Amino acid sequence: MKRHYTLIHSQQGFLLFHVVWVILIVFLCLHFLLYQYQTAKIVADNQLSDIEVETLFQMAYKRVNGEIDVQEISLPYETSYHFPRGEVKVTFQAETNETINIIYAIKQTGSDHIYQFARYAPKQ
């Protein structure tokens, strides 16, 4: 004679089915929380990188404004600055008779990406 499993044939319902659903919901919640954590970490790393690039640009911009007079240089003119977090190459090019195009090429330490910002300055 076959022996019947009492949990399956009880009148209260199949308990294992409910336990599997609860475990599935817990695992899905954990999965989505871990995915959200990984995404937040990537976003934070990208924001820190953007802050470093912007800081390098601001440092080079202040140095250019303090050291170089636009009226005294001969165009095209190029200079570079080395900072602890990267280096910035600044290029002055004549755009028209009234404006000068200033290009900031920023390369972070440990990265192969080069970010470029362009500003216009009047010749006066």
Side-chain angles (χ1 to χ4, degrees):
M1 179 185 254
K2 283 187 178 179
R3 198 168 167 215
H4 295 287
Y5 189 60
T6 59
L7 190 61
I8 295 176
H9 294 290
S10 71
Q11 298 297 323
Q12 297 172 355
F14 186 49
L15 182 64
L16 184 62
F17 183 72
H18 299 294
V19 171
V20 168
W21 274 108
V22 169
I23 291 173
L24 178 67
I25 290 172
V26 168
F27 279 141
L28 283 174
C29 289
L30 286 174
H31 170 73
F32 288 122
L33 285 173
L34 286 173
Y35 185 75
Q36 183 181 10
Y37 170 75
Q38 289 174 343
T39 304
K41 185 178 174 188
I42 290 170
V43 168
D45 288 342
N46 288 340
Q47 286 177 340
L48 286 174
S49 176
D50 289 346
I51 289 170
E52 284 182 4
V53 168
E54 183 66 28
T55 302
L56 286 170
F57 168 71
Q58 291 293 331
M59 291 166 58
Y61 182 77
K62 288 301 270 184
R63 274 224 181 144
V64 164
N65 282 344
E67 294 176 359
I68 298 173
D69 188 13
V70 177
Q71 287 87 17
E72 295 178 4
I73 62 172
S74 61
L75 298 176
Y77 179 78
E78 184 175 299
T79 185
S80 62
Y81 299 106
H82 299 281
F83 300 110
R85 292 288 188 174
E87 58 185 59
V88 181
K89 185 172 76 170
V90 183
T91 307
F92 292 82
Q93 297 174 345
E95 187 71 23
T96 62
N97 288 339
E98 294 85 24
T99 61
I100 296 174
N101 189 11
I102 306 171
I103 300 172
Y104 297 87
I106 300 169
K107 185 177 183 299
Q108 290 177 290
T109 303
S111 175
D112 293 334
H113 299 290
I114 296 176
Y115 302 94
Q116 289 189 348
F117 294 100
R119 299 280 183 186
Y120 291 102
K123 271 190 182 178
Q124 295 180 359

